[in-house]
């Protein structure tokens, strides 16, 4: 597919539409003679597709808990556990408190918990909005490896928990909904080839509504038709711009993208349940998601391995409280420090070779606030030599004025590695020391990726560190109960 030719074709169509609109009322022949025919006659372009949207919807509608391999169930549970901690921590933050206040103001009266608030309950859309924003409030939440441009805990777990609590559903239903959403959302993310972000969209805000709509649709026991409509509606709710990264301010909005994605999934599924319709070719169609949001795409990725390969296994849990692109670099830096026994003051300079995003979008040596500090690879690597990058509280309000960290960050240079794709987050870190030594380490899969998953002790260590402000005994009990969430008949107890 030539993207330029495709855009030219669309411009020609839009000019034709403008001409029609400017000279006469839109003719019935343009859209179909009657509402009934518009509902029943498929668009001509569908005949040239493999009906990817409908195939994804049918798969998600049929998925059963009994179909899921134990390893897939465990990966989903690990992400849910991690999600509880990241949402609970996010509730502490000032920008999160604004979202919580909004959710309470306009969502009062429901049974869905906003985590980390001591028991605040609202209606399901408001809870999904708040918990989604809280999950992504501090660069702690899960991603995938390879990178699919999605955040499963922030979009899938939060939307599904809100509706499961609203409807009195249990752990098995939550896990099944989570996996159904992940299998669809990750495939959509891979199909974009990350070119939605090269156009300036924040990928998780654009892919998240699809995954959340599927997760909620699964909890509502949708058949394939309703699930297709939920996806069709979700496509018109996709949003999120990356301008905060180039503007150097306004990073609060990055958190809102995930909350809106979760909330949009609840909205899309709720409307679909009432008979509201959306285009059945919302992903693959001529004016569908991939063609409109992306410069290039891999259409086959939408259904590749569907029903045989579980992409839920791609979930990656962060170890450090910063952007995904910094995780490998920090681990390499920490490994080098442990092996060669040097301190931050011994470092002359650091050179990092990585992917294009690391060298451009995430290359912010002097961030203006702590949110951009977490988004910055050089700053996060420098911080890891002075503070504990695993502890989100290391990124405090004063961190961007910490002169030693800023000084070291200014001496960290990032270059694009030759022939490294956007899906490859490998980092090669080379540190030059004052005693003349030059040490180097390459890390492709940090601890927490599918290739090197956290064991239960390591997962608990992160969980307890992140929720350190909450009552320890209560959170230890919560962790143990979440480990067996599949045996729980209701989820009202998931509230802290």
């Amino acid at each position: 597919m030539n993207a330029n030719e495709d855009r030219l074709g669309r411009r020609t169509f839009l000019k034709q539409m403008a001409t029609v609109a400017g000279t006469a009322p839109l003719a019935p022949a343009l859209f179909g003679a009657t509402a009934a025919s518009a509902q029943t006659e498929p668009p001509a372009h569908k005949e040239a597709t493999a009906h990817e949207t409908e195939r994804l919807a049918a798969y998600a509608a049929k998925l059963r808990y009994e179909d899921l391999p134990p390893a897939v169930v465990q990966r989903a549970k690990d992400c849910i556990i991690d999600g509880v901690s990241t949402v609970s921590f996010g509730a502490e933050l000032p920008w999160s408190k604004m979202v919580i206040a909004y959710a309470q103001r306009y969502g009062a009266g429901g049974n869905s918990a906003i985590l980390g608030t001591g028991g605040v309950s609202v209606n399901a859309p408001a809870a999904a909005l708040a918990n989604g924003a809280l999950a992504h409030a501090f660069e702690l939440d899960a991603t995938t490896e390879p990178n699919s441009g999605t955040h499963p805990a922030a979009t899938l777990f939060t939307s599904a928990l809100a509706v499961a609590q609203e409807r009195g559903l249990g752990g098995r239903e939550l896990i099944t909904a989570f996996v159904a959403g992940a299998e669809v959302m990750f495939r959509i993310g891979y199909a974009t080839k990350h070119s939605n972000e090269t156009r300036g969209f924040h990928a998780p805000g654009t892919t998240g509504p699809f995954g959340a709509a599927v997760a909620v649709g699964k909890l509502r026991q949708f058949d394939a038709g309703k699930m297709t409509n939920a996806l069709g509606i979700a496509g018109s709710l996709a949003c999120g711009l990356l301008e905060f990264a180039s503007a150097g301010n306004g990073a609060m909005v990055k958190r809102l993208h995930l909350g809106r994605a979760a909330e949009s999934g609840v909205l899309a599924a709720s409307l679909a349940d009432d008979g509201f319709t959306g285009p059945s070719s919302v992903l693959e169609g001529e004016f569908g998601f991939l063609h409109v949001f992306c410069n290039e795409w891999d259409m086959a990725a939408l259904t590749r391995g569907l029903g045989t390969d579980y992409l839920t296994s791609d979930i990656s849990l962060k170890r450090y409280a910063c952007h995904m692109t910094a995780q490998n670099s920090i681990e390499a830096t920490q490994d080098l420090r442990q092996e060669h026994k040097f301190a931050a003051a011994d470092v002359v300079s650091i050179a990092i070779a990585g992917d294009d995003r690391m060298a451009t979008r995430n290359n912010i040596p002097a961030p203006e606030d702590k949110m951009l500090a977490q988004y910055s690879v050089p700053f996060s690597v420098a911080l890891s030599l002075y503070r504990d990058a695993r502890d989100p509280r290391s990124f405090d309000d004063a961190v961007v004025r910490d002169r030693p960290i800023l000084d070291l960050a200014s001496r960290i240079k990032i270059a694009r590695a030759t022939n490294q794709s956007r899906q490859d987050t490998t980092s090669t870190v080379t540190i030059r020391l004052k005693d003349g030594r030059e040490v180097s380490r390459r890390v492709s899969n940090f601890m927490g990726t599918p290739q090197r998953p956290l064991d239960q002790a390591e997962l608990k260590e992160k969980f307890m560190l992140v929720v350190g402000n909450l009552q320890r005994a209560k959170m230890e009990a919560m962790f143990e109960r979440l480990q067996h969430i599949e045996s729980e008949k209701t989820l009202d107890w998931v509230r802290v």
Side-chain angles (χ1 to χ4, degrees):
M1 169 66 65
N2 183 305
N4 289 328
E5 289 178 0
D6 183 63
R7 285 196 295 272
L8 180 61
R10 284 183 290 176
R11 283 198 296 268
T12 300
F13 173 81
L14 291 171
K15 287 179 181 178
Q16 292 170 346
M17 290 286 288
T19 300
V20 171
T23 57
L26 294 176
L30 185 60
F31 294 108
T34 66
S37 65
Q39 294 282 340
T40 58
E41 294 178 11
H45 71 262
K46 277 189 64 182
E47 299 306 318
T49 76
H51 307 279
E52 287 84 359
T53 303
E54 293 174 329
R55 290 172 62 189
L56 286 168
Y59 166 82
K62 291 180 181 178
L63 187 68
R64 303 178 306 156
Y65 180 85
E66 292 75 18
D67 299 331
L68 305 179
V72 172
V73 171
Q74 187 61 54
R75 202 62 180 160
K77 286 167 55 180
D78 288 352
C79 188
I80 289 168
I81 292 170
D82 194 62
V84 170
S85 68
T86 59
V87 176
S88 299
F89 177 83
E92 300 178 16
L93 303 168
W95 43 92
S96 297
K97 292 183 185 299
M98 299 177 205
V99 178
I100 292 168
Y102 175 90
Q104 288 184 274
R105 188 159 58 244
Y106 296 106
N111 190 49
S112 301
I114 301 178
L115 302 182
T117 60
V120 169
S121 293
V122 292
N123 62 41
L129 170 68
N131 286 333
L134 271 54
H136 196 61
F138 219 63
E139 298 293 349
L140 285 164
D141 54 315
T143 56
T144 63
E145 179 61 37
N147 180 25
S148 61
T150 67
H151 287 277
T155 50
L156 304 177
F157 164 61
T158 57
S159 57
L161 177 67
V163 173
Q165 290 183 329
E166 175 189 63
R167 301 173 75 85
L169 302 174
R172 287 195 172 200
E173 292 90 343
L174 179 69
I175 292 169
T176 309
F178 181 97
V179 173
E183 294 303 315
V184 172
M185 185 173 73
F186 295 171
R187 284 177 166 82
I188 295 172
Y190 291 135
T192 68
K193 301 181 74 173
H194 302 282
S195 66
N196 48 352
E197 292 213 331
T198 63
R199 292 186 64 154
F201 295 107
H202 184 211
T206 68
T207 58
F210 294 110
V214 168
V216 175
K218 192 65 186 171
L219 291 171
R220 288 175 171 268
Q221 300 183 327
F222 279 5
D223 60 16
K226 281 189 175 182
M227 195 69 84
T228 300
N229 280 324
L231 286 169
I233 299 164
S236 287
L237 302 174
C239 63
L241 299 176
L242 280 171
E243 180 58 20
F244 67 86
S246 61
N249 54 47
M252 287 185 190
V253 77
K254 181 176 188 285
R255 282 70 180 149
L256 184 62
H257 296 166
L258 279 297
R260 288 290 285 171
E263 178 193 37
S264 293
V266 178
L267 171 62
S270 298
L271 290 174
D273 208 6
D274 290 336
F276 206 92
T277 63
S280 62
S281 53
V282 69
L283 297 172
E284 71 275 11
E286 181 181 2
F287 297 101
F289 175 74
L290 292 179
H291 290 76
V292 171
F293 279 77
C294 303
N295 289 331
E296 57 178 324
W297 52 84
D298 178 5
M299 195 71 72
L302 289 172
T303 54
R304 187 179 294 127
L306 190 65
T308 57
D309 300 335
Y310 284 93
L311 300 189
T312 302
S313 300
D314 291 351
I315 290 173
S316 183
L317 304 183
K318 290 182 180 179
R319 239 181 134 203
Y320 305 108
C322 54
H323 194 264
M324 178 74 169
T325 52
Q327 302 288 316
N328 283 327
S329 296
I330 292 176
E331 184 166 307
T333 300
Q334 295 301 305
D335 288 348
L336 288 170
R337 177 167 67 171
Q338 183 174 2
E339 180 181 353
H340 297 283
K341 311 300 181 187
F342 61 84
D346 300 323
V347 176
V348 174
S349 63
I350 299 176
I352 301 174
D355 72 3
D356 179 70
R357 290 170 302 162
M358 293 169 59
T360 55
R361 187 178 304 141
N362 299 103
N363 190 3
I364 312 170
E368 293 188 11
D369 58 42
K370 63 183 178 181
M371 289 180 286
L372 281 175
Q374 293 176 291
Y375 198 68
S376 164
V377 173
F379 192 90
S380 297
V381 170
L383 177 143
S384 75
L385 288 172
Y386 284 98
R387 304 185 184 187
D388 184 358
R390 297 174 304 164
D391 187 347
R393 296 162 189 85
S394 291
F395 288 87
D396 59 24
D397 289 334
V399 73
V400 294
R401 298 185 298 277
D402 190 313
R403 296 313 310 174
I405 295 176
L406 284 167
D407 177 61
L408 180 54
S410 72
R411 291 181 276 123
I412 296 176
K413 306 304 178 186
I414 305 177
R416 297 179 181 89
T418 304
N419 298 324
Q420 184 166 321
S421 72
R422 287 178 58 86
Q423 287 84 357
D424 182 0
T425 58
T426 295
S427 295
T428 302
V429 175
T430 303
I431 301 178
R432 189 158 61 92
L433 300 169
K434 289 180 179 178
D435 62 9
R437 287 182 294 166
E438 188 171 275
V439 296
S440 185
R441 187 173 185 86
R442 184 175 187 266
V443 175
S444 295
N445 302 300
F446 61 84
M447 186 74 73
T449 57
Q451 297 83 359
R452 299 172 62 205
L454 301 178
D455 62 27
Q456 291 305 295
E458 292 162 335
L459 181 62
K460 184 175 182 179
E461 180 185 31
K462 179 189 173 183
F463 182 93
M464 296 306 298
L465 178 64
V466 171
V467 300
N469 62 306
L470 301 174
Q471 186 182 3
R472 184 171 182 84
K474 180 180 179 180
M475 297 314 297
E476 285 183 336
M478 175 68 72
F479 181 86
E480 297 303 321
R481 195 168 182 181
L482 287 167
Q483 285 192 305
H484 305 285
I485 194 171
E486 70 273 22
S487 64
E488 298 286 346
K489 299 303 181 185
T490 65
L491 298 171
D492 282 346
W493 54 274
V494 184
R495 55 186 72 233
V496 293

